[in-house]
Amino acid sequence: MALTLPAHPDPLAERIHRSGLLHELAHGLGGPFHYLLPERFDANLAAFRAALADAGVDGRIHYAKKANKASVFVDRCAAADTGVDVASLGELRDALGHGVRGEHLVVTGPAKSAPLLRVAVRQGALIAVDAPDELEHLLGLDGGRPARVLLRRHPPSQPGSRFGLDDGQLHRALERCAAAGDAVRMEGFSFHLSGYAVRPRADLAGELVELCLHARSLGLPADRISIGGGFPVDYVAADAWDAFLTAQRPGHYHGEKSFAAGDFYPYHSPVAGADALRAILAARPGGTGPSLAERLRQAGVTLLLEPGRALLDRAGSSVFPVQGVKDRAGYGIVTVDGTSLSLSEQWFASEYLPEPVLLRAAPSPADPADLADPADLADRPYRACVGGASCLDSDLLTWRKIAFPARPRVGDLLVYPNTAGYQMDSNESPFHELPLPPKVVVDHSGDRPRWRLDR
Ligand SMILES: Cc1ncc(COP(=O)(O)O)c(C=O)c1O
């Protein structure tokens, strides 16, 4: 039996799908593409801001740009005076070029390059220092102004993490900052945790508030902490997700491929996005005493966040034209124009599970499948995996045998929903000299969806 995992219903996406726009675009662009919905980004941003305001917490959001390369989202940050988290010189240049102010940037990532640090200091960006030698580098730089830094805490709850400064390094770094005078402005501490749990984030944030108080006793400003990203996205319904995790086994996948439940992103999250921030702010660090929101207020500490995936929730989807369909015993293999490089999850030995929607094209006599078997024109359910148009046996967008409502035909479109966060472009490459799928920005100023290319 096939296990179905449809994305949550999305009336806006359904309207676009019904409008015929995507077939027009596939025709005009001549291949796969991604479409982006910036109004969703704006709404997600507003929800995070509301969570901060409702908790009475002074906060600043930095969109983690690594989650999507599109310009439109950085434009929206500039327009909303929102910050951006950048982790490379390219990301920093792009953010500045789109009008985000230098002081609204936070620079993350390990062992940052000398040019990145130099530009970051000159632009007044906040730099999350990941290692003692990075701090020494900054202290030796003459950037014409103090380097604004956060000290990134190695998370004690994730001892295997390669990021951050351990206890000893952190305390030596504080002493170095206190002795450095105007070379550096130590504004606080940061962390980013793997996983999506609320509790460890609240606990570590509570510890960072205490560290700020300690740093102030050394004469340092220390008035902010960053809790990084990792706000979960809720892609699919709870019952479908639970049923899937219980039942999935190699027989559900092409090539009897096996996945452990833990190999998957948690596609269902009962508390997601800005609600996860609300939960973190309401939690009591260490399990007792005042809430995190209260501790931040009492200590006069500003909360910085670096959400990536959660700001992009439902802000984009990926569209692949069907290029061929062939039958195997008991299921089919749909090959699309495009590759699994445009759906990153495969490259983490995992699978993007929210299922693609089949958008039918008008039947064409040029399609040999239509001519060979007119019965295929009737919509009968059809199970198939989805492969990319490359010569790699492992290039599958979906190993799972998906229950399509009908046998896909050449010219139909498969729309993978909600791919803006990390899926659509993190790993794209022009393999086989296939062009990179363009990004199309769709907005709704009137009844009809309108589009433009993202530049
Ligand atoms: C330092 C840092 N901040 C923010 C993020 C964004 O995380 P997410 O997209 O899960 O919110 C990441 C992701 O790797 C990160 O490393």
Side-chain angles (χ1 to χ4, degrees), residues 36-309:
L36 308 176
L37 301 171
E39 65 199 83
R40 284 282 167 67
F41 183 85
D42 296 344
N44 293 330
L45 200 52
F48 270 92
R49 285 186 161 166
L52 289 168
D54 291 349
V57 165
D58 181 34
R60 176 159 273 285
I61 299 158
H62 295 90
Y63 160 55
K65 187 178 179 338
K66 68 203 88 182
N68 194 293
K69 298 191 183 87
S71 298
V72 69
F73 301 124
V74 186
D75 280 338
R76 298 309 249 232
C77 290
D81 234 16
T82 292
V84 177
D85 157 21
V86 296
S88 70
L89 190 55
E91 289 182 356
L92 184 144
R93 280 194 194 121
D94 203 39
L96 288 174
H98 284 274
V100 179
R101 290 197 266 163
E103 70 259 34
H104 289 170
L105 297 177
V106 58
V107 186
T108 59
K112 296 169 217 32
S113 70
L116 172 59
L117 290 175
R118 194 171 52 243
V119 180
V121 173
R122 284 198 169 276
Q123 295 296 330
L126 185 57
I127 301 164
V129 171
D130 188 61
D133 59 353
E134 202 168 77
L135 181 60
E136 291 308 318
H137 186 119
L138 285 169
L139 294 178
L141 259 186
D142 180 12
R145 62 203 292 181
R148 296 177 58 217
V149 301
L150 298 174
L151 299 178
R152 181 164 173 174
R153 172 86 168 103
H154 178 261
S157 63
Q158 297 181 350
S161 170
R162 72 187 172 101
F163 295 105
L165 300 156
D166 64 24
D167 271 342
Q169 291 168 334
L170 205 60
H171 284 95
R172 278 191 296 281
L174 280 175
E175 284 163 15
R176 287 292 285 137
C177 291
D182 284 348
V184 75
R185 190 182 146 81
M186 210 299 286
E187 299 196 0
F189 300 87
S190 72
F191 65 79
H192 171 77
L193 294 181
S194 303
Y196 300 93
V198 165
R199 174 97 266 151
R201 286 181 166 76
D203 288 347
L204 197 47
E207 188 193 316
L208 295 201
V209 172
E210 296 305 313
L211 275 172
C212 281
L213 299 180
H214 169 66
R216 286 180 198 167
S217 73
L218 302 177
L220 298 165
D223 61 359
R224 61 202 63 204
I225 63 169
S226 174
I227 61 170
F231 302 91
V233 166
D234 183 32
Y235 292 86
V236 302
D239 49 355
W241 180 237
D242 293 343
F244 172 83
L245 286 183
T246 312
Q248 66 100 21
R249 55 186 158 72
H252 289 119
Y253 301 92
H254 169 66
E256 298 275 315
K257 195 170 173 69
S258 69
F259 291 100
D263 292 340
F264 300 120
Y265 178 86
Y267 287 99
H268 172 71
S269 252
V271 180
D275 288 338
L277 173 59
R278 288 177 190 274
I280 292 169
L281 288 170
R284 298 174 192 285
T288 54
S291 67
L292 177 61
E294 188 56 34
R295 288 187 204 196
L296 289 162
R297 274 195 302 271
Q298 282 170 358
V301 168
T302 298
L303 183 72
L304 313 182
L305 324 166
E306 299 155 12
R309 189 188 288 260

Side-chain angles (χ1 to χ4, degrees), residues 18 32 48 146 230 239 264 308 342 347 373-374 395 413 415 454:
R18 277 196 309 272
F48 270 92
D239 49 355
F264 300 120
S342 297
W347 302 92
D373 183 3
D395 178 17
L413 302 178
V415 185
D454 181 73

